[in-house]
């Protein structure tokens, strides 16, 4: 049943993609109702990257990275590669050669629910990768998989053309159809948080900034002095 | 039974707190008989921080950070916030807004047996956090917990007013009552180690610096040459 | 049965050791047929180190670092210490004093399937350690183990005198007898990859660089346009 | 965005469902190309159950089982409930009261990527559950989720109306559209295996039953006598 | 600082202990506000046991079971032994000899945040154990710990004299002071659940038994027909 | 480098093998100095089996069970198959067909550091398996490995011809050369434990049976009454 490469899937609007990257993972995740965050076990191989791209998806067999080579050809400027093995694998599917190839095509990063290697080189190249493992363990090239079909990656459903946002907080996927709307919500949240941040920095409390005191009291919150509890 | 905020718990002596911070986690842990180290799964979100503070404790429901907002009001200069969920949670309870608020009150850091987010911002702010997870996953504000009651955090019993020391080696809690005595023991250990370090650097062996040879021989340690073992 | 220290095991050829260090873990691992990689759960305590050395092996009881002191005396310039507990342990067997002692003897690093502490000091000293845990938890000095006997460390068989290579990608062991041959294969691989890297950077695809298209087609790979799949 | 209950999703053909149950998880998984097996971390709470049903899906918040009550009403005879939290949770969402309710409606089992409790009672009732955890930890009823929307459960995409097969080997999902075809392939596999089983029991080797010797030799398999290897 | 055995700690009321055993872990845990459940990673070595007892606590070094022998002498009829290592250990601290000794003294079971062995014998003896690991790995007898001091066991604070309840759902601790009150609440919950169970068995829905429909509607729950969603 | 099948490795003495099986894993492990226990994460697929056999070893690629078929031919009456993947794999390498084949050849069980499936059938057949995972996930037959070469399995070094003992407590390997001596030590331990068991059952304490009191006192153990600690 495997062995299909889908060409020319729909692409997300690059302006929306860039806007989502600027907002970052935590804000985007909140803006779409706290959904579609990938398993936090996926970590960046170096700190400080923040990217978003249109997902090119790859379904790979365990320990076999052949289809990653196939997928590179389907990538364009602004894409982000998403690799999901059909069963858990710690193998190092990806290293500096594939990164060189992807960088040459304008791909902004890789999200992989498996292992990555050559991390010192990738850090030098500043090619960002979010992976479950760092592992030198090599892969074979024996079995087909699929490119640009929907995949489950680290617990989330990712379709080719969806937007994937990744930074030091993790990885979130935004469906292409709702991306513009999520961006608007994310920006609104950012604007609101900027105001709150100023008030917090000035010493105001979240209890007051968010008007929480009355609801807390209704729920039964009580204050006692330590003296009284002895 | 939840929903209690204890005000004005006892505070640890700030000079002792600062002394313990200077000694660091490994030394303090040894100085109190190798006890009260939190689960090493709690890791700093960035390398290089070393802090100590008086614990303000928060018991929170899984996935609900409402009580963290409540706790901020109970914090003073020199405190360190300790957050423990009543059941394991990967959620990101804490981010840059709460850190801004805590920093404005002079709080020196956060220890949380759950997730933290906005780690790029927190690193920029140099607000140190020790957490089990880095996760963008958002929390709700629905259920009460408690502030300044004793909690189990990452396997250790922490009471409000205890001293918490945290650095790249992990997190250790020192009971307030024994903090001065532990500091004295830690400093004695440091002095002794400084002497040993000089001897090691000069090429002396631990076997001699610590006079281990005789006891090893009594236990039956034997030396053979590789030649003889073939 | 424990309590044996083997003196003067065979040493690996230092030129070969240095050559393997220059190739790095991923290349060496591939060059010996994708074998003998240690469990990727062993991670460096800081990024950027790349070393190789002749293994001095230590079999230690859980939570007891006495034999590490014994092992130091058996180390020479160019060695790398390999520590394996007889049962899993999170304890921090190793810190800055032992590192000072090893550095004074010219040892290039430590690989330990347990915990390490004083990581801020070790980073400052640039003494590289690959460990399963970072943990301040202290050890005792009560029970004997062995030095320079074969051990299983993080899933691989390591004999004294074997070459151990470690970098940001992990740790690999190379049997002393085949080290020169593995080095030759690793250098051949590097040369080939340098050519490929240039072609990738110029925009060529792995499909063409590695002549994969025909074999993929024979396996049944098919291309469809997204339009057709709706 | 949450808070939707979809009524009357398509149902799978009950004869096909029963046929798939008879084949069991391993055979069905192979029959659909080794795909769509849920994470093996999901284990049955007791040994010996083998069921299949039409999926009724529930997306739940972490630690909140309110929507499970909502979902019960949407279940009919022959259904199997599939519960997926939006973020990992160890809480015990399900116990004997809900099982009593589901059993009364003819539901054949539960698959949940979280915790289950009252397992002694459920075993007595012979109501089978596949869960990631056994945990008494209680849930709240505060936040909405969704019923009969597609969910990712334990790493696989499950849509309402799909067939879920579960036994001691784990859980597999079969898309409703291909269920009849998968059943045919599974039965063909069973027939073939029955013949092989007889030959194996009679002492024939897999090497001969599956005619592997020539291909192994071509790949380079070589036989040596232990005597020669010394 | 270690090396203390506290004799004659307060005991819990045996009638209350027996009542709590009859209610079981899930009900008791709910009855005390969903608190004080031990980490669900502690599992029974065989299915079907349900016990409660007064806690005799033991703090042990990693891999050292000497203090368990010391603790046996402090146990009486109706007690339950609680063993917590000061740092995580997979060692098998407990086997059939210690179980024979405890059974001879009327101890009803063991809860240990480490390993247990001789599980076939213990099953035959029907001496129930809840442990994190099953492991044959042997322990030494070298280092002191403490008996009948408060310990953190599997994430919960347990004091000598507290009630510990354990069954197939896990382990919960009930403070001695509130045990009678928790028992009353647990029995009330049981009575209420018995009524609900009857209604569920008769086909009523939780939505109606618990009058949830109105609150769900207020929160915004909406129903759509699958037909409409295409 | 892979692709070698070693024929006719040395076999262990069957009487010794049977004697070790009768002693069981925990006793044998103690009798050889608490060494060579496999990772306790390997668990039996059903309770109650206790076997020992001469190891036939198989080194397999991740997710590829071809070499298991090759290995069957090398097995004789009294053997036990030991399968170790070269990198971690959750795949289900083994099911009822291979078990039928092994049983027909008199093989007494399987130890595998990966997954096993058809566990209901294997339980019915009473063919015991110790595995890290139960998983239906299928394997391919593409890549060679080795038969009857030394392997690291679940953290221990196993050579063809060594004795492997497995029961509900786990799995231990005994080198062929020392097997008779280990058996003698195990039997001596059993005899001594039988005496102790009688004394424990009669109410004597381990403190007295093992004459521990004086050494404990020397180490500083002190007794206080709970009354005095308030």
């Amino acid at each position: 049943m495997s062995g299909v490469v889908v060409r020319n899937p729909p692409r997300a609007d690059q302006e929306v993609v860039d806007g989502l990257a600027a907002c970052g993972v935590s804000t985007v995740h909140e803006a779409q109702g706290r959904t579609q965050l990938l398993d936090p076990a996926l970590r960046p191989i170096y700190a400080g990257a923040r990217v978003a791209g249109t997902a090119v998806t790859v379904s790979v067999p365990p320990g076999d990275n052949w289809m990653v080579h196939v997928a590179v050809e389907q990538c364009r400027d602004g894409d982000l590669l998403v690799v999901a093995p059909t069963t858990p694998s710690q193998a190092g599917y990806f290293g500096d050669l594939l990164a060189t190839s992807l960088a040459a095509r304008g791909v902004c990063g890789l999200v992989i629910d498996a292992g990555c290697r050559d991390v010192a080189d990738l850090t030098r190249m500043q090619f960002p990768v979010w992976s479950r493992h760092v592992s030198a363990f090599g892969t074979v090239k024996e079995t087909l998989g699929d490119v640009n079909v929907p995949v489950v990656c680290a617990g989330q459903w990712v379709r080719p053309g969806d937007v994937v946002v990744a930074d030091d907080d993790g990885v979130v996927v935004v469906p292409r159809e709702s991306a513009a709307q999520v961006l608007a919500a994310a920006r609104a949240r950012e604007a609101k948080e900027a105001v709150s941040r100023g008030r917090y920095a000035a010493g105001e409390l979240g209890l007051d900034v968010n008007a929480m005191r009355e609801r807390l009291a209704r729920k039964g919150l009580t204050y006692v002095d330590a003296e009284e509890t002895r």
Side-chain angles (χ1 to χ4, degrees), chain A:
Chain A
M1 258 159 266
S2 285
V4 174
V5 180
V6 177
R7 285 174 158 146
N8 303 311
R11 305 271 152 169
D13 179 325
Q14 190 64 36
E15 266 187 64
V16 172
V17 170
D18 293 343
L20 290 166
C23 292
V25 170
S26 291
T27 298
V28 169
H29 156 72
E30 288 280 348
Q32 65 181 348
R34 285 185 212 122
T35 59
Q36 307 198 57
L37 187 73
L38 274 68
D39 186 335
L42 262 56
R43 296 297 303 144
I45 59 167
Y46 59 84
R50 171 171 284 186
V51 300
T54 296
V56 170
T57 61
V58 199
S59 172
V60 293
D64 189 315
N65 81 341
W66 209 8
M67 293 307 286
V68 181
H69 285 274
V70 173
V72 173
E73 190 176 26
Q74 306 307 316
C75 291
R76 303 188 193 160
D77 194 55
D79 285 347
L80 186 151
L81 198 64
V82 175
V83 178
T86 53
T87 193
S89 173
Q90 292 189 6
Y93 282 76
F94 187 89
D96 78 300
L97 290 187
L98 279 163
T100 301
S101 188
L102 287 178
R105 297 180 81 77
V107 172
C108 66
L110 168 74
V111 169
I112 179 167
D113 190 1
C116 172
R117 64 188 194 181
D118 298 337
V119 295
D121 294 323
L122 297 174
T123 303
R124 256 190 303 273
M125 296 168 63
Q126 291 283 296
F127 186 89
V129 175
W130 287 257
S131 69
R132 189 176 289 270
H133 307 283
V134 171
S135 168
F137 199 85
T139 49
V140 296
K141 289 168 182 56
E142 294 287 353
T143 309
L144 299 186
D146 302 289
V147 175
N148 278 332
V149 299
V151 296
V152 173
C153 183
Q156 295 298 340
W157 185 241
V158 186
R159 299 164 312 157
D162 285 345
V163 186
V164 172
V165 189
D167 64 18
D168 289 347
D169 284 353
V171 184
V172 68
V173 56
V174 182
R176 187 175 54 89
E177 297 83 352
S178 57
Q181 175 191 341
V182 169
L183 175 57
R187 284 179 170 158
R189 188 180 167 91
E190 275 197 328
K192 187 171 157 249
E193 288 202 341
V195 175
S196 300
R197 192 175 293 109
R199 294 177 65 181
Y200 285 134
E204 279 192 80
L205 290 167
L207 292 175
D208 300 312
V209 170
N210 304 303
M212 292 168 167
R213 291 187 193 274
E214 194 191 357
R215 190 165 160 248
L216 283 163
R218 266 206 320 271
K219 286 262 185 176
L221 189 69
T222 55
Y223 289 81
V224 298
D225 201 85
E227 287 288 314
E228 302 163 33
T229 66
R230 280 175 214 157

